[in-house]
Coordinates of all heavy atoms in Angstrom, one line a residue:
Chain C
K9 N 111.5 101.1 118.9 CA 110.1 101.3 119.1 C 109.8 102.1 120.4 O 108.8 102.9 120.4 CB 109.3 99.9 119.1 CG 107.8 100.2 118.8 CD 107.2 98.8 118.4 CE 105.6 99.0 118.2 NZ 105.4 100.0 117.1
F10 N 110.6 101.9 121.4 CA 110.5 102.6 122.6 C 111.8 103.0 123.1 O 112.8 102.2 122.8 CB 109.8 101.7 123.7 CG 108.5 101.2 123.3 CD1 108.3 100.0 122.8 CD2 107.3 102.0 123.6 CE1 107.0 99.5 122.5 CE2 106.0 101.5 123.3 CZ 105.9 100.3 122.7
R11 N 111.9 104.0 123.8 CA 113.2 104.4 124.5 C 113.0 105.4 125.6 O 112.1 106.3 125.5 CB 114.2 105.1 123.4 CG 115.6 105.4 123.9 CD 116.4 104.2 124.0 NE 117.7 104.5 124.7 CZ 118.8 104.7 124.0 NH1 118.8 104.7 122.7 NH2 119.9 105.0 124.6
I12 N 113.7 105.2 126.6 CA 113.7 106.1 127.8 C 115.2 106.7 127.9 O 116.1 106.0 127.9 CB 113.3 105.4 129.1 CG1 111.9 104.9 129.0 CG2 113.4 106.4 130.3 CD1 111.5 104.0 130.1
L13 N 115.2 108.0 127.9 CA 116.4 108.7 128.0 C 116.5 109.6 129.2 O 115.5 110.0 129.7 CB 116.7 109.7 126.8 CG 117.1 109.1 125.4 CD1 117.3 110.3 124.4 CD2 118.4 108.4 125.6
K14 N 117.7 109.8 129.7 CA 117.8 110.7 130.9 C 118.1 112.1 130.3 O 118.7 112.2 129.2 CB 118.9 110.3 131.8 CG 118.7 109.0 132.5 CD 119.7 108.7 133.7 CE 119.5 107.4 134.3 NZ 118.2 107.3 134.9
I15 N 117.8 113.1 131.0 CA 118.1 114.5 130.5 C 119.6 114.6 130.2 O 120.4 114.2 131.0 CB 117.7 115.5 131.6 CG1 116.1 115.5 131.8 CG2 118.1 116.9 131.3 CD1 115.7 116.3 133.0
G16 N 119.9 115.2 129.0 CA 121.3 115.4 128.6 C 121.8 114.3 127.8 O 122.9 114.5 127.2
Q17 N 121.2 113.2 127.7 CA 121.7 112.1 126.9 C 121.4 112.4 125.5 O 120.6 113.2 125.1 CB 121.1 110.7 127.3 CG 121.6 110.2 128.6 CD 121.1 108.8 128.9 OE1 120.0 108.5 128.7 NE2 121.9 108.0 129.5
S18 N 122.1 111.6 124.5 CA 121.8 111.8 123.1 C 121.5 110.4 122.5 O 121.7 109.4 123.2 CB 123.1 112.3 122.4 OG 123.4 113.6 122.9
M19 N 120.8 110.5 121.4 CA 120.4 109.2 120.7 C 120.1 109.5 119.3 O 119.8 110.7 118.9 CB 119.3 108.5 121.4 CG 117.9 109.1 121.1 SD 116.6 107.9 121.6 CE 116.8 106.6 120.4
T20 N 120.1 108.5 118.5 CA 119.7 108.5 117.1 C 118.5 107.6 116.9 O 118.6 106.4 117.2 CB 120.8 108.1 116.1 OG1 121.9 109.0 116.4 CG2 120.4 108.2 114.7
L21 N 117.5 108.2 116.2 CA 116.3 107.4 115.8 C 116.5 107.1 114.3 O 116.8 107.9 113.5 CB 115.1 108.2 116.0 CG 114.4 108.4 117.3 CD1 115.3 109.1 118.3 CD2 113.1 109.0 117.2
Q22 N 116.4 105.7 114.1 CA 116.7 105.3 112.8 C 115.4 105.2 111.9 O 114.3 104.9 112.5 CB 117.3 103.9 112.8 CG 118.7 103.8 113.6 CD 119.8 104.6 112.9 OE1 119.7 104.9 111.7 NE2 120.8 104.8 113.6
C23 N 115.6 105.5 110.6 CA 114.4 105.4 109.7 C 115.0 104.9 108.4 O 115.9 105.4 107.9 CB 113.7 106.7 109.6 SG 112.4 106.8 108.3
A24 N 114.3 103.9 107.8 CA 114.7 103.5 106.4 C 113.4 103.2 105.6 O 112.4 102.8 106.3 CB 115.5 102.2 106.6
Q25 N 113.5 103.4 104.4 CA 112.4 103.0 103.4 C 112.9 102.3 102.2 O 114.0 102.6 101.7 CB 111.6 104.3 103.1 CG 112.3 105.4 102.5 CD 112.5 105.4 101.0 OE1 111.8 104.6 100.3 NE2 113.3 106.3 100.4
D26 N 112.1 101.4 101.7 CA 112.6 100.5 100.6 C 111.7 100.8 99.3 O 111.6 99.9 98.5 CB 112.6 99.0 101.0 CG 111.3 98.6 101.3 OD1 110.2 99.3 101.4 OD2 111.2 97.3 101.7
M27 N 111.1 101.9 99.3 CA 110.2 102.3 98.2 C 110.8 103.2 97.1 O 110.1 103.7 96.2 CB 108.9 102.9 98.7 CG 108.1 101.9 99.7 SD 106.7 102.6 100.4 CE 107.6 103.6 101.7
N28 N 112.1 103.5 97.3 CA 112.8 104.4 96.5 C 112.2 105.8 96.4 O 112.2 106.5 95.4 CB 113.0 103.8 95.0 CG 114.1 104.4 94.3 OD1 115.2 104.7 94.9 ND2 114.0 104.5 93.0
H29 N 111.6 106.2 97.5 CA 111.1 107.6 97.6 C 112.1 108.6 97.8 O 113.0 108.4 98.6 CB 110.0 107.7 98.7 CG 108.7 107.0 98.5 ND1 107.8 106.8 99.5 CD2 108.2 106.3 97.4 CE1 106.7 106.2 98.9 NE2 107.0 105.8 97.6
N30 N 112.0 109.7 97.1 CA 113.0 110.8 97.2 C 112.7 111.6 98.5 O 113.7 112.0 99.2 CB 112.9 111.8 96.1 CG 113.7 111.2 94.9 OD1 114.5 110.4 95.0 ND2 113.4 111.8 93.7
Y31 N 111.5 111.8 98.8 CA 111.1 112.7 99.9 C 110.9 111.9 101.3 O 110.3 110.9 101.2 CB 109.8 113.4 99.7 CG 109.9 114.5 98.5 CD1 109.8 114.0 97.2 CD2 110.1 115.8 98.8 CE1 109.9 114.9 96.2 CE2 110.1 116.7 97.8 CZ 110.1 116.2 96.5 OH 110.3 117.2 95.4
M32 N 111.6 112.4 102.3 CA 111.4 111.8 103.6 C 111.3 112.9 104.7 O 111.7 114.0 104.5 CB 112.7 110.9 104.0 CG 112.8 109.6 103.0 SD 114.1 108.5 103.6 CE 113.3 107.7 104.9
Y33 N 110.6 112.5 105.8 CA 110.2 113.5 106.8 C 110.3 112.9 108.2 O 110.1 111.7 108.4 CB 108.7 113.9 106.5 CG 108.3 114.2 105.2 CD1 108.1 113.1 104.2 CD2 108.2 115.4 104.7 CE1 107.7 113.4 102.9 CE2 107.8 115.8 103.4 CZ 107.6 114.7 102.5 OH 107.2 115.0 101.2
W34 N 110.5 113.8 109.1 CA 110.4 113.5 110.5 C 109.3 114.3 111.2 O 109.4 115.5 111.0 CB 111.8 113.6 111.3 CG 112.6 112.4 111.2 CD1 113.8 112.3 110.4 CD2 112.5 111.2 111.9 NE1 114.3 111.0 110.7 CE2 113.6 110.4 111.5 CE3 111.6 110.7 112.9 CZ2 113.8 109.1 112.0 CZ3 111.8 109.4 113.4 CH2 112.8 108.6 112.9
Y35 N 108.4 113.6 111.9 CA 107.4 114.4 112.6 C 107.4 114.0 114.1 O 107.9 112.9 114.4 CB 106.0 114.0 112.0 CG 105.7 114.4 110.7 CD1 105.9 113.5 109.7 CD2 105.2 115.6 110.3 CE1 105.7 113.8 108.3 CE2 104.9 116.0 109.0 CZ 105.1 115.0 108.0 OH 104.8 115.4 106.7
R36 N 106.9 114.9 114.9 CA 106.6 114.5 116.3 C 105.2 114.7 116.5 O 104.6 115.6 116.0 CB 107.5 115.3 117.3 CG 107.3 116.8 117.3 CD 108.1 117.4 118.4 NE 107.5 117.1 119.7 CZ 108.1 117.5 120.9 NH1 109.3 118.0 120.9 NH2 107.4 117.2 122.0
Q37 N 104.6 113.8 117.4 CA 103.2 113.9 117.7 C 103.1 113.9 119.2 O 103.4 112.8 119.9 CB 102.5 112.7 117.1 CG 101.0 112.9 117.3 CD 100.2 111.8 116.5 OE1 100.7 110.7 116.6 NE2 99.1 112.1 115.9
D38 N 102.5 114.8 119.8 CA 102.2 114.9 121.2 C 100.8 114.3 121.5 O 100.0 114.3 120.6 CB 102.4 116.3 121.8 CG 103.8 116.8 121.6 OD1 104.7 116.0 121.8 OD2 104.0 117.9 121.4
P39 N 100.5 113.9 122.7 CA 99.3 113.1 123.0 C 98.0 113.8 122.4 O 97.8 115.0 122.7 CB 99.3 113.0 124.5 CG 100.7 112.9 124.8 CD 101.4 113.9 123.9
G40 N 97.2 113.1 121.7 CA 95.9 113.6 121.1 C 96.1 114.7 120.1 O 95.1 115.5 119.9
M41 N 97.3 115.0 119.6 CA 97.5 116.1 118.8 C 97.9 115.6 117.3 O 98.1 114.5 117.1 CB 98.7 116.9 119.3 CG 98.5 117.4 120.7 SD 97.2 118.7 120.8 CE 98.0 120.1 120.1
G42 N 97.9 116.7 116.4 CA 98.3 116.4 115.0 C 99.8 116.2 115.0 O 100.5 116.0 116.0
L43 N 100.4 116.3 113.8 CA 101.8 116.1 113.5 C 102.5 117.4 113.3 O 102.0 118.3 112.6 CB 101.9 115.2 112.3 CG 101.4 113.9 112.4 CD1 101.2 113.2 111.0 CD2 102.3 113.0 113.2
K44 N 103.7 117.5 113.9 CA 104.6 118.7 113.6 C 105.8 118.3 113.0 O 106.5 117.4 113.4 CB 104.9 119.4 115.0 CG 103.7 120.0 115.6 CD 104.1 120.8 116.9 CE 102.9 121.4 117.5 NZ 103.2 122.2 118.8
L45 N 106.2 119.0 111.8 CA 107.3 118.6 111.0 C 108.5 119.1 111.7 O 108.7 120.2 112.0 CB 107.1 119.2 109.6 CG 108.2 118.9 108.6 CD1 108.3 117.4 108.3 CD2 108.1 119.7 107.4
I46 N 109.5 118.1 111.8 CA 110.8 118.5 112.5 C 111.8 118.9 111.4 O 112.4 119.9 111.4 CB 111.4 117.3 113.3 CG1 110.4 117.0 114.4 CG2 112.6 117.7 114.0 CD1 110.7 115.7 115.2

Side-chain angles (χ1 to χ4, degrees):
Chain C
K9 199 159 177 62
F10 303 94
R11 184 71 186 266
I12 298 174
L13 280 183
K14 293 190 185 303
I15 294 171
Q17 286 186 324
S18 300
M19 76 163 294
T20 300
L21 281 64
Q22 301 292 343
C23 174
Q25 53 93 9
D26 61 359
M27 297 174 283
N28 204 31
H29 286 173
N30 279 342
Y31 293 80
M32 294 188 74
Y33 313 80
W34 275 105
Y35 296 93
R36 60 174 288 173
Q37 185 177 42
D38 297 323
M41 303 291 286
L43 298 164
K44 292 185 179 178
L45 182 65
I46 304 171

